[in-house]
């Protein structure tokens, strides 16, 4: 019937007249044959009368981007010419290295000839779509509505967005084949339509028709074959791009296969970054070497230019709307972008996302913008490729930094992820949108990511966004929205994006902040229920385990009558480790058994539950709840070592000498599959009270044992483990004390904490810690020396970067005059302990943090091989792994499987089908490292948000003691003078913005709702020297006494106040406390006077002459007439 013909897409062959139109579009040498049938798939539809209609864009569901390259999306159906050549760059996705490819800007060979500007653009119309008249020449003449969003005309954007549109110029018609081609051909078969009515002058369509082509702002991405050749011959480098959070104009690329100590490649400026965003896997071309004072090498260096500002980097969000603004308006927007904004106050987000990016310099900690250099592929280093290093070295001479530019995107890992943003109007030059109102005529919104490393994103206003956001109208600037980028054209300053889901809530709401943190670190898929088929499989596993338990116990060492017990946090639900201790009086030794839940016995490789665990790799701990790696039937029921319940375990046994705590090698540690039954469950608080001699409410004891048996075991373990711990630190181990706030939510109805306490690492904690370390160490050594070591998952910790460690040593010894030895982990530990004893805990915690940040890296999982350094620097172990927590860590499951294969193997070989080997193991370990880092950062972000929510709910500010780390004076003489302060209770260093005079809390963006407190700023401040800043304080009205002068030196421990902000993301600002404030005296009493004073900055020795600038004394002498003697700590 005619209705069916109208709705069906045309598949008839083009007529000769249509072929003429096709040749005009694709060029005179087109090899398309009129006998071919070219289906119209995707962009337009043709009704039975030959009229072209546009599909309803707004009524279509929002697309979903996969994690693959944009190039690979939408190209599964490839159209070829008669000769077999791809039409319109429609290449299939490359199998080995998916690269977002486009014509090479350096090949001097464009992928298609240039075409003249199109006389009129086509626009998608609102539903229902009316017939679109077509001129004789085949151009679409669609009435343009002033309030409609511009339809993106970039082929790759359209493909990646999966949104149909009407091709609106000749070049897009080329690239949109076959759909647009057939549309033009069908239109050409009809008699010529009458010309469209003349348009009114001044309309957007007329402006688009009259203006010249848009300026290309970015280089086109290189072709896939060019990239492949470059990767093969070493002229191009593949790596992950990391944008700097403190200097947005720079990014670092860590090449694949980089070795420890090698430098990253610096990508400087938005042009060199070429639309790549944080965490994209990119292809880099080296362009220059940078040294102090300028550039050299590669022929493209242009000297040292100024660093781009935040506004330049983001173009201030005043991006050019696609095909709506002329070049003059573009210039106006760029000028507006240069207007200064209100300076951002101290923020925890000023910190780097990597703990190894902090170095000591100029009286404290400062960022090291020069990144590391990495060797890539076949032992050829970046330096060698640039001709700057001899002998294949991995570092360029003279401390040079390698500069590069992005030429292609191999994997848009950063671009394709969901980004949390706030939504705002896309302001025009000269317009005032301070009320955040979107007008009827607006066509685009601006999405500002909460992660400042990501670019601002433009969102089209269509019927979907109007309905969801209630537009036109005001946008709530505090609402958080999930946004996904769908493309970034070479002519656009900002990428295009779309809404990915519903609003997360308002910044500062607990649920919203929790979802925000999960999405930000790509852990939101953990916060979903397990699939039904997964739960059904686990249910069957539980049924089979209960039925087969007696048979399985018969195959194991049955220890169900042994006195085995657990010690865990009071709130723990999954108990994955238990212990026992037996004394051998004759040999004066103790036998320790560490019994771990045998998760690997139930979680078979390749099962549905195992595949989900491979994806999750870890449990995620939030405030008041846990997102488990395994379904509850496994982690809380079948595997949890609950008291008085028989369980299957994987046990490690070893013997220790009672008098020294030394590990006995004869007999060597051994491992067995066991069956156990815990006789008692204890928590850390209960055990600590027992060790402290206090009475507790005794927990139940089963198996015929009494509380006295458990009591005696605890004190025996305390004695032996204390000797183990003492010997470990004396032997060269390092321990870093890091305070952590534990929020109380058990009695909270809305989840907002009712209080907090600082985590205390007491003896009850380190008893279990030492036993778990011993078990992990014994298992690691056994695996490394076994026949299956090539599949063994171990964990190493690299030594600190030597240069950064040397800078820390120079600072501590030469500049501050402290005793400091950082030869190895043991030396660092002893140096830190000496500072604790002499200067107190506040300064000790700060120095430990400085040692950790000075080139100290995170420990990593790895698959054993002869080329990898296996040593764990901090623990001072030759081999180390994770064996003791398989319920919440997938690497532990991998370790269990290989260890089980060793136990069950025979002379004929091992059952390798039970564990991951070679490439599968390497890939899984990489995923585990990535997820572990993501969970750590997610936890830190959520802790910071919950802390601010807690202060808001309590309607108070937080007073504590901070340690001064560094001073930064604005070289432009602006208002950005800062002092970096470390707060040990938060475990964060924060930049305190120096301001003088009265404080306007609203202008500073500080939370003050219901707070009965007053913020006083110093009357003035001045930088006296490299390591000294002087603050002048005036007394409040009615307070007797004159002004006071406070001298802040490097490592001064001084009172600070932390105030939550009314900002997005939720954050806090830090200020120094006035000596006249009631809290000042209380806080000063908590710190020894020697720690309050800090340390006088000493210049390094020059030609044997030590120069000491005691600016503090000089400043005091110069203004002695004005100063009144202050209390301790104030100059």
């Amino acid at each position: 019937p005619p209705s069916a013909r109208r709705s069906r897409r045309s598949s008839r062959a083009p007529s000769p007249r249509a072929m003429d139109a096709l040749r005009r579009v694709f060029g005179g040498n087109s090899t398309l044959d009129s006998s071919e049938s070219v289906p119209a798939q995707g962009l337009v539809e043709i009704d039975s009368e030959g009229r072209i209609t546009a599909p309803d864009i707004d009524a279509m569901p929002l697309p979903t981007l996969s994690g693959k390259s944009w190039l690979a999306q939408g190209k599964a159906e490839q159209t070829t010419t008669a000769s077999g050549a791809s039409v319109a760059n429609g290449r299939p996705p490359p199998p080995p290295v998916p690269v977002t490819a486009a014509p090479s800007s350096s090949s001097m060979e464009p992928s298609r000839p240039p075409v003249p500007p199109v006389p009129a653009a086509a626009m998608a119309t609102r539903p229902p779509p009316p017939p679109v008249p077509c001129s004789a020449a085949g151009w679409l003449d669609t009435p343009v509505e002033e309030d409609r969003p511009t339809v993106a005309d970039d082929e790759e954007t359209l493909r990646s967005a999966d949104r149909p549109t009407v091709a609106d110029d000749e070049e897009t018609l080329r690239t949109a084949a076959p759909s647009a081609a057939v549309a033009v051909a069908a239109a050409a078969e009809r008699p010529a339509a009458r010309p469209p009515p003349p348009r009114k002058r001044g309309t957007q369509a007329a402006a688009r028709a009259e203006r010249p082509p848009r300026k290309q702002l970015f280089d086109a991405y290189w072709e896939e074959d060019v990239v492949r050749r470059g990767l093969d011959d070493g002229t191009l480098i593949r790596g992950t791009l990391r944008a700097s959070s403190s200097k947005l104009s720079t990014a670092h690329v860590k090449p694949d296969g980089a070795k420890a100590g090698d430098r990253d490649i610096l990508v400087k400026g938005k042009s060199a970054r070429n639309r790549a965003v944080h965490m994209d896997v990119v292809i880099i071309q080296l362009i220059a070497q940078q040294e102090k004072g300028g550039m050299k090498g590669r022929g493209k260096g242009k000297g040292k230019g100024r660093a781009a500002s935040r506004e330049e980097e983001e173009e201030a969000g005043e991006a050019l709307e696609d095909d709506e603004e002329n070049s003059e308006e573009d210039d106006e927007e760029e000028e507006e972008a240069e207007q200064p904004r209100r300076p951002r106050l101290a923020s925890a987000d000023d910190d780097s996302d990597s703990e190894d990016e902090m170095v000591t310099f100029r009286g404290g900690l400062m960022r090291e913008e020069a990144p590391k250099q990495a060797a890539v592929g076949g032992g050829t280093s970046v330096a060698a490729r640039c001709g700057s290093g001899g002998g294949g070295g991995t570092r360029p001479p003279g401390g040079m930094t390698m500069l590069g530019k992005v030429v292609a995107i191999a994997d848009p890992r950063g671009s394709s992820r969901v980004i949390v943003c706030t939504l705002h109007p896309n302001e025009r030059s000269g317009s005032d949108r301070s009320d955040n109102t979107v007008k009827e005529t607006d066509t685009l919104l601006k999405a500002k990511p909460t992660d400042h490393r990501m670019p601002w994103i433009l969102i089209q206003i269509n019927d979907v966004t109007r309905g969801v956001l209630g537009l036109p109208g005001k946008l709530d600037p505090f609402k958080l929205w999930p946004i996904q980028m769908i493309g970034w054209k070479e002519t656009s300053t900002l990428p295009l994006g779309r809404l990915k889901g519903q609003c997360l809530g308002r910044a500062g709401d607990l649920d919203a902040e929790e979802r925000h943190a999960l999405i930000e670190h790509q852990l939101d898929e953990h916060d979903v229920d397990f699939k039904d088929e997964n739960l059904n499989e686990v249910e069957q596993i539980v049924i089979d385990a209960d039925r087969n338990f007696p048979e399985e116990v018969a195959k194991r060492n049955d220890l169900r009558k042994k006195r085995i017990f657990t010690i865990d946090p009071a709130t723990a639900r999954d108990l994955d480790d238990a212990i026992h201790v037996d004394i051998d009086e004759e040999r004066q030794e103790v036998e320790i058994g560490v019994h771990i839940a045998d998760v690997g016995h139930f979680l078979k490789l390749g099962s549905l539950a195992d595949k989900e665990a491979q994806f999750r790799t870890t449990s995620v701990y939030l405030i008041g709840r846990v997102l488990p790696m395994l379904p509850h039937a496994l982690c809380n029921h079948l595997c949890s070592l609950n008291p008085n319940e028989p369980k299957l375990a994987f046990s490690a046994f070893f013997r220790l000498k009672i008098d020294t705590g030394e590990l006995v090698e004869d007999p060597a540690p051994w491992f067995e599959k066991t069956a156990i039954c815990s006789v008692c469950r204890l928590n850390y608080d209960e055990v600590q009270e027992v060790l402290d001699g206090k009475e507790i409410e005794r927990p139940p004891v089963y198996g015929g044992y009494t509380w006295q048996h458990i009591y005696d075991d605890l004190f025996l373990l305390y004695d032996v483990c204390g000797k183990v711990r003492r010997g470990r630190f004396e032997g060269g181990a390092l321990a870093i004390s890091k305070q952590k706030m534990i929020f109380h939510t058990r009695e909270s109805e809305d989840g907002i904490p009712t209080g907090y306490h600082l985590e205390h690492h007491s003896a009850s904690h380190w008893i279990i810690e030492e036993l778990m370390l011993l078990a992990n160490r014994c298992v690691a050594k056994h695996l490394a020396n076994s026949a299956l070591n090539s599949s063994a998952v171990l964990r190493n910790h690299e030594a600190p970067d030597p240069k950064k460690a040397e800078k820390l040593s120079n600072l501590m010894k030469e500049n501050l005059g402290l005793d400091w030895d950082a030869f190895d982990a043991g030396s660092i530990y002893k140096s830190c302990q000496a500072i604790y004893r002499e200067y107190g805990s506040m300064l000790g915690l700060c120095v430990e943090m400085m040692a950790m940040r000075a080139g100290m890296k995170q420990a990593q999982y790895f698959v054993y091989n002869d080329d990898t350094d296996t040593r764990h620097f901090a623990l001072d172990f030759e081999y180390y792994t994770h064996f003791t927590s398989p319920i919440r860590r997938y690497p532990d499951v991998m370790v269990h499987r290989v260890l089980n294969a060793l136990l069950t193997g025979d002379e004929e070989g091992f059952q390798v089908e039970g564990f991951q080997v070679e490439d599968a193991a390497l890939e899984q370990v990489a995923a585990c490292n990535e997820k572990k880092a993501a969970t750590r950062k997610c936890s830190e972000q959520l802790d910071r948000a919950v802390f601010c929510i807690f202060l808001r709910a309590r309607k108070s500010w937080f007073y504590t003691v901070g340690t001064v780390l560094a001073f930064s004076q604005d070289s432009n003489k602006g208002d950005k003078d800062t002092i970096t302060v470390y707060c040990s209770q938060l475990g964060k260093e924060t930049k305190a913005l120096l301001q003088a005079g009265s404080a306007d809390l609203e202008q500073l963006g500080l939370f003050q709702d219901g707070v009965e407190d007053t913020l006083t700023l110093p009357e003035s401040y001045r930088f006296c020297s490299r390591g000294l800043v002087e603050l002048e304080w005036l007394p409040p009205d009615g307070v007797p006494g004159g002004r006071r002068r406070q001298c802040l030196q490097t490592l001064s421990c001084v009172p600070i106040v932390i105030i939550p902000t009314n900002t997005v993301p939720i954050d806090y600002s830090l200020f120094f406390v006035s000596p006249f404030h009631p809290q000042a005296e209380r806080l000063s009493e908590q710190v020894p006077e020697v720690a309050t004073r800090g340390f006088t900055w000493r210049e390094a020795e020059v030609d044997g002459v030590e120069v000491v600038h005691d600016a503090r004394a000089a400043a005091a002498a110069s203004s002695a007439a004005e100063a009144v003697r202050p209390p301790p700590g104030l100059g």
Side-chain angles (χ1 to χ4, degrees):
S3 60
R5 289 199 301 273
R6 281 194 297 270
S7 62
R8 187 174 62 239
R9 299 176 184 236
S10 174
S11 61
R12 52 198 172 90
S15 66
R17 182 176 181 182
M19 293 304 300
D20 290 339
L22 283 172
R23 292 188 179 95
R24 286 197 299 273
V25 174
F26 290 99
N29 57 350
S30 173
T31 57
L32 283 173
D33 185 18
S34 61
S35 62
E36 295 178 323
S37 177
V38 185
Q41 304 175 14
L43 296 184
V44 294
E45 295 182 353
I46 305 173
D47 63 16
S48 61
E49 299 179 8
R51 292 179 298 184
I52 300 175
T53 61
D56 180 12
I57 293 178
D58 297 335
M60 297 192 67
L62 292 174
T64 300
L65 271 180
S66 68
K68 298 181 180 179
S69 170
W70 292 334
L71 178 66
Q73 299 191 34
K75 298 191 177 182
E77 299 180 4
Q78 178 184 0
T79 304
T80 58
T81 64
S83 61
S86 296
V87 175
N89 292 330
R91 299 184 302 277
V97 183
V99 178
T100 303
S104 170
S105 60
S106 63
S107 63
M108 305 300 291
E109 193 70 34
S111 62
R112 51 180 179 252
V115 295
V118 183
M123 301 290 293
T125 58
R126 285 177 175 163
V132 181
C134 189
S135 66
W139 303 116
L140 306 177
D141 294 320
T142 307
V144 178
E145 300 180 53
E146 294 281 344
D147 61 340
R148 293 294 298 160
T150 302
V151 178
D153 61 353
D154 180 89
E155 179 220 357
E156 287 199 13
T157 301
L158 295 173
R159 287 174 182 252
S160 64
D162 197 25
R163 297 181 68 157
T165 185
V166 179
D168 62 349
D169 62 16
E170 183 177 10
E171 184 168 341
T172 304
L173 286 173
R174 291 172 181 262
T175 60
S179 306
V182 175
V184 176
E189 291 187 77
R190 308 195 308 272
R194 64 175 180 269
R199 303 185 187 276
K200 295 181 180 180
R201 293 181 59 84
T203 64
Q204 295 177 0
R208 285 196 301 273
E210 295 171 1
R211 74 179 185 183
R214 293 179 58 107
K215 178 183 178 182
Q216 180 167 324
L217 303 176
F218 299 100
D219 291 340
Y221 291 140
W222 288 17
E223 293 283 3
E224 176 192 339
D225 55 346
V226 178
V227 170
R228 289 184 181 280
R229 289 197 300 269
L231 292 174
D232 291 341
D233 63 24
T235 57
L236 298 180
I237 298 168
R238 188 180 190 271
T240 301
L241 184 138
R242 295 177 293 112
S244 171
S245 60
S246 57
K247 192 173 183 180
L248 299 173
S249 61
T250 63
H252 304 152
V253 173
K254 189 176 188 64
D256 294 348
K259 297 180 180 180
D262 292 341
R263 291 185 175 179
D264 291 351
I265 299 169
L266 177 64
V267 180
K268 196 170 184 179
K270 63 180 182 180
S271 296
R273 196 180 304 182
N274 197 7
R275 296 166 286 162
V277 303
H278 180 65
M279 295 310 296
D280 275 348
V281 179
V282 297
I283 306 299
I284 291 290
Q285 180 192 32
L286 296 175
I287 57 176
Q289 299 171 12
Q290 176 177 283
E291 55 185 346
K292 293 182 179 180
M295 313 262 290
K296 65 175 292 185
R298 308 298 291 178
K300 292 189 178 183
K302 297 181 180 180
K304 185 175 181 180
R306 65 184 180 91
S309 65
R310 164 72 179 180
E311 290 78 7
E312 290 173 316
E313 179 64 17
E314 304 287 9
E315 295 295 321
E318 307 301 333
L320 313 176
E321 296 192 6
D322 294 340
D323 300 322
E324 287 195 26
E325 302 299 325
N326 57 32
S327 57
E328 294 177 358
E329 290 173 321
D330 293 350
D331 295 338
E332 291 177 0
E333 288 185 346
E334 290 178 359
E335 290 174 5
E336 182 182 358
E338 296 297 331
Q339 299 300 317
R341 301 181 299 169
R342 179 175 64 85
R344 191 160 57 96
L345 294 177
S347 168
D349 283 338
D350 290 334
D351 303 325
S352 168
D353 64 335
S354 176
E355 291 188 350
D356 62 345
E357 293 184 46
M358 297 295 295
V359 296
T360 55
F361 183 67
R362 291 176 60 91
L365 292 179
M366 297 186 68
R367 299 285 166 194
E368 182 183 48
E369 295 299 340
K372 298 178 182 178
Q373 162 126 3
V376 184
T380 305
S381 69
V382 174
R385 289 176 182 169
C386 292
S388 60
T394 59
R395 292 185 178 88
M400 292 180 181
T401 297
M402 304 313 305
L403 299 183
K405 69 175 183 179
V406 175
V407 298
I409 307 291
D411 183 3
R413 294 177 58 188
S415 308
S416 61
R417 73 179 179 91
V418 177
I419 305 168
V420 179
C421 304
T422 55
L423 298 181
H424 307 268
N426 188 42
E427 302 100 328
R428 292 295 179 188
S429 177
S431 65
D432 180 15
R433 299 294 184 89
S434 57
D435 60 353
N436 228 39
T437 299
V438 177
K439 299 179 180 178
E440 178 68 30
T441 56
D442 287 342
T443 58
L444 291 173
L445 300 175
K446 186 189 305 173
K448 298 182 180 180
T450 58
D451 184 348
H452 301 294
R453 296 168 298 186
M454 303 299 291
W456 294 344
I457 305 169
L458 297 178
I459 308 294
Q460 283 187 336
I461 298 178
N462 51 31
D463 288 347
V464 174
T465 52
R466 283 191 180 95
V468 172
L469 302 175
L471 302 179
K474 290 186 178 181
L475 290 171
D476 187 338
F478 291 94
K479 282 189 175 181
L480 303 175
W481 293 88
I483 304 294
Q484 193 169 47
M485 293 171 56
I486 58 176
W488 195 341
K489 299 197 302 181
E490 299 158 12
T491 56
S492 298
T493 54
L494 293 180
L496 188 67
R498 65 179 181 86
L499 295 176
K500 180 61 177 174
Q502 296 298 319
C503 178
L504 306 181
R506 299 185 90 245
D509 294 340
L510 186 61
D511 290 342
E513 292 296 341
E514 188 176 88
R515 296 176 64 189
H516 177 196
L518 291 172
I519 292 174
E520 195 72 40
H521 300 285
Q522 298 179 277
L523 298 172
D524 49 308
E525 292 188 62
H526 291 232
D527 194 17
V528 295
D529 293 333
F530 290 90
K531 296 180 180 178
D532 289 342
E533 55 267 30
N534 196 320
L535 297 176
N536 292 338
E537 179 189 72
V538 171
E539 182 180 356
Q540 188 60 47
I541 291 174
V542 174
I543 294 173
D544 293 342
D546 290 340
R547 183 179 63 250
N548 301 328
F549 185 78
E551 179 183 350
E552 182 62 31
V553 170
K555 303 175 184 178
R556 297 170 174 247
N557 185 3
D558 190 351
L559 302 179
R560 285 179 290 174
K561 295 188 179 300
K562 202 164 193 64
R563 191 169 63 249
I564 297 172
F565 56 93
T566 61
I567 304 176
D568 292 280
T571 57
R573 294 181 180 179
D574 50 346
L575 314 180
D576 51 10
D577 59 84
I579 56 175
H580 87 261
V581 55
D582 290 333
I583 187 167
D584 185 340
E585 295 285 358
E586 182 179 352
R587 299 185 55 169
Q588 285 297 292
E589 296 173 354
V590 293
E591 178 187 288
I592 303 290
V594 176
H595 311 279
I596 307 302
D598 195 0
V599 176
H601 175 75
F602 305 107
L603 192 68
K604 299 302 182 184
L605 183 65
S607 64
L608 294 177
D610 180 65
K611 290 179 180 178
E612 182 66 19
Q614 288 183 27
F615 167 74
R616 299 193 178 206
T617 78
T618 183
S619 295
V620 181
Y621 290 83
L622 305 176
I623 305 298
R625 67 188 185 107
V626 179
L627 308 180
M629 182 183 76
L630 302 174
H632 290 292
L634 278 178
C635 62
N636 296 150
H637 172 62
L638 187 60
C639 296
S640 182
L641 306 181
N642 301 323
N644 204 30
E645 294 180 9
K647 300 289 182 178
L648 300 181
F650 209 150
S651 302
F653 302 88
F654 47 85
R655 298 174 73 92
L656 302 172
K657 293 183 179 180
I658 296 178
D659 57 342
T660 64
E662 183 181 351
L663 181 67
V664 175
E665 295 294 342
D666 184 18
W670 68 100
F671 315 96
E672 294 180 3
K673 288 291 189 85
T674 59
I676 68 170
C677 185
S678 172
V679 302
C680 183
R681 174 181 177 173
L682 297 162
N683 64 55
Y684 289 121
D685 295 335
E686 291 172 336
V687 173
Q688 190 58 47
E689 289 186 351
V690 170
L691 297 177
D692 292 340
K694 300 178 181 178
E695 285 293 329
I696 66 169
E697 182 179 347
R698 298 177 180 179
V701 180
Y702 305 96
Y705 295 102
T706 65
W707 171 248
Q708 188 62 43
H709 290 107
I710 303 298
Y711 183 90
D712 293 340
D713 287 347
L714 290 177
F715 275 95
L716 178 59
L717 289 170
Y718 174 72
D719 178 58
V720 175
C721 291
K723 295 171 182 176
V724 172
R725 185 175 182 83
R726 192 158 48 247
R728 189 164 61 86
F729 288 127
E730 290 176 355
L734 169 65
I736 298 294
S737 302
K738 187 175 181 180
Q739 290 186 332
K740 178 178 174 62
M741 283 185 169
I742 307 298
F743 294 102
H744 305 160
T745 59
R746 184 177 298 181
E747 299 178 359
S748 173
E749 296 181 357
D750 54 7
I752 297 177
T754 57
Y756 75 95
H757 70 273
L758 294 177
E759 185 178 50
H760 180 55
H761 199 68
S762 61
S764 60
H765 289 82
W766 57 249
I767 286 175
I768 298 301
E769 177 185 340
E770 293 301 328
L771 295 179
M772 298 304 114
L773 287 175
L774 281 167
N776 289 334
R777 178 185 180 184
C778 293
V779 171
K781 183 177 180 181
H782 185 73
L783 293 178
N785 295 322
S786 72
L788 294 179
N789 59 6
S790 60
S791 298
V793 176
L794 303 183
R795 188 166 174 83
N796 69 347
H797 181 222
E798 297 179 3
D801 180 84
K803 291 187 176 179
K804 295 180 179 180
E806 183 182 2
K807 288 181 179 180
L808 176 62
S809 294
N810 291 338
L811 169 73
M812 303 296 278
K813 293 190 296 185
E814 298 182 14
N815 300 125
L816 301 180
L818 287 167
D819 292 331
W820 184 258
D821 183 5
F823 176 74
D824 54 19
S827 301
I828 296 175
Y829 174 74
K830 293 175 183 177
S831 297
C832 291
Q833 291 303 304
I835 291 175
Y836 268 104
R837 290 190 296 270
E838 186 171 356
Y839 301 102
S841 60
M842 288 297 177
L843 190 56
L845 288 167
C846 178
V847 171
E848 281 188 338
M849 180 278 300
M850 294 168 66
M852 183 176 66
R853 299 293 176 89
M856 197 84 73
K857 302 176 183 178
Q858 292 291 327
Q860 297 276 328
Y861 297 109
F862 71 101
V863 178
Y864 180 86
N865 62 77
D866 294 334
D867 297 330
T868 304
D869 183 9
T870 63
R871 191 164 193 83
H872 197 292
F873 174 79
L875 296 176
D876 196 34
F877 289 165
E878 185 68 27
Y879 303 105
Y880 188 68
T881 191
H882 277 167
F883 164 78
T884 53
S885 296
I887 288 179
R888 61 183 178 90
R889 292 189 306 227
Y890 195 79
D892 300 54
V893 178
M894 300 174 71
V895 169
H896 279 222
R897 288 170 175 165
V898 177
L899 186 59
N900 179 63
L902 290 171
L903 295 180
T904 58
D906 51 31
E907 296 179 357
E908 297 180 359
F910 302 95
Q911 297 179 356
V912 297
E913 68 273 8
F915 56 90
Q916 292 151 301
V917 296
E918 298 177 354
D919 292 345
L922 289 170
E923 183 177 346
Q924 185 61 53
V925 163
C928 292
N929 285 327
E930 189 174 311
K931 278 291 179 70
K932 188 172 181 65
T935 55
R936 175 175 55 84
K937 295 174 184 177
C938 175
S939 178
E940 291 174 353
Q941 176 179 331
L942 189 56
D943 285 346
R944 182 170 65 248
V946 171
F947 172 69
C948 294
I949 293 172
F950 168 68
L951 294 183
R952 285 184 175 187
R954 203 173 64 169
K955 298 186 183 302
S956 63
W957 297 340
F958 186 75
Y959 288 85
T960 185
V961 175
T963 306
V964 174
L965 293 178
F967 308 93
S968 176
Q969 191 170 9
D970 189 355
S971 58
N972 296 323
K973 297 183 179 180
D975 56 354
K976 295 182 180 180
D977 296 336
T978 61
I979 298 179
T980 303
V981 180
Y982 176 71
C983 177
S984 60
Q985 285 189 269
L986 301 181
K988 281 285 183 182
E989 65 274 7
T990 304
K991 290 182 180 178
L993 184 65
L994 285 175
Q995 291 192 329
S998 60
D1000 187 337
L1001 300 187
E1002 185 173 351
Q1003 184 180 2
L1004 295 175
L1006 304 178
F1007 174 80
Q1008 54 181 329
D1009 184 19
V1011 177
E1012 296 181 358
D1013 205 339
T1014 302
L1015 175 65
T1016 302
L1017 298 178
E1019 183 202 19
S1020 63
Y1021 65 89
R1022 69 189 183 99
F1023 286 82
C1024 302
S1025 71
R1026 176 176 292 188
L1028 174 65
V1029 168
E1030 194 176 79
L1031 308 181
E1032 290 279 350
W1033 298 93
L1034 287 180
D1037 295 340
V1039 176
R1043 66 178 63 198
R1044 294 182 181 177
R1045 179 176 298 108
Q1046 183 177 17
C1047 294
L1048 302 179
Q1049 296 195 107
T1050 306
L1051 299 188
S1052 291
C1053 296
V1054 294
I1056 58 172
V1057 58
I1058 294 173
I1059 304 177
T1061 60
N1062 293 317
T1063 58
V1064 179
I1066 187 172
D1067 211 335
Y1068 59 80
S1069 294
L1070 184 149
F1071 299 89
F1072 297 103
V1073 178
S1074 166
F1076 299 100
H1077 194 280
Q1079 295 279 1
E1081 185 176 356
R1082 178 185 66 83
L1083 293 171
S1084 297
E1085 293 174 352
Q1086 299 178 9
V1087 183
E1089 184 176 351
V1090 64
T1092 303
R1093 287 197 303 266
F1095 298 89
T1096 301
W1097 182 267
R1098 298 168 177 263
E1099 296 292 346
E1101 293 186 9
V1102 180
D1103 295 330
V1105 178
E1106 183 180 10
V1107 180
V1108 179
H1109 178 73
D1110 192 351
R1112 185 172 183 270
S1118 64
S1119 53
E1122 304 176 25
V1124 176
R1125 185 173 180 82
L1130 300 174

